[in-house]
Amino acid sequence: MSIEDYLATAPEHERPVAEVLIAHAAALDEAVVEPVSVGLILKRRSTFAMARTMTRWVSLGVSLPRVVSDPEPDRKVQQLSTSYHHVWNVRTVDDLLPLLELIDEAYEADG
């Protein structure tokens, strides 16, 4: 599915968050945004972040080479091989903005 098709069916709470996430990823040279039925996958060599549509928020998962405690993840951090998977519940663009730096870090770590 195309990004336009994905956004056309996105719930009202997700659209602004998804638009900022897509625009941010577009500024990362080798990043690809792949819309799927459950959300958006951000890839470089592999998946470094994923935004999943939930009933009242967007669940943003980010894989990083370290554990992050600020901002505190909404779920327990899971170690996956040499990276740590963090999840935040993003309800608004204001919730997303402090996480963009971590998305950049995940993108660089995936290079």
Side-chain angles (χ1 to χ4, degrees):
M1 107 177 30
S2 71
I3 289 175
E4 294 78 19
D5 290 340
Y6 180 83
L7 290 173
T9 61
E12 188 176 314
H13 70 275
E14 180 185 16
R15 179 182 287 275
V17 171
E19 288 173 343
V20 170
L21 192 57
I22 291 164
H24 187 77
L28 303 173
D29 288 338
E30 299 171 5
V32 174
V33 177
E34 183 179 321
V36 294
S37 61
V38 296
L40 299 171
I41 299 173
L42 280 68
K43 297 179 177 181
R44 188 176 188 182
R45 287 184 318 134
S46 60
T47 299
F48 63 88
M50 182 173 184
R52 290 192 58 143
T53 307
M54 306 305 275
T55 304
R56 294 184 310 253
W57 62 79
V58 175
S59 176
L60 179 66
V62 181
S63 295
L64 294 162
R66 65 186 177 94
V67 175
V68 173
S69 57
D70 187 27
E72 184 176 353
D74 290 295
R75 295 199 197 123
K76 182 180 177 186
V77 176
Q78 300 290 318
Q79 184 172 5
L80 304 170
S81 186
T82 60
S83 65
Y84 298 88
H85 186 70
H86 302 73
V87 178
W88 290 272
N89 297 337
V90 177
R91 290 174 171 80
T92 67
V93 170
D94 288 340
D95 293 342
L96 176 63
L97 294 178
L99 303 173
L100 294 179
E101 195 172 293
L102 296 174
I103 290 171
D104 293 347
E105 182 180 338
Y107 167 81
E108 290 298 327
D110 192 44

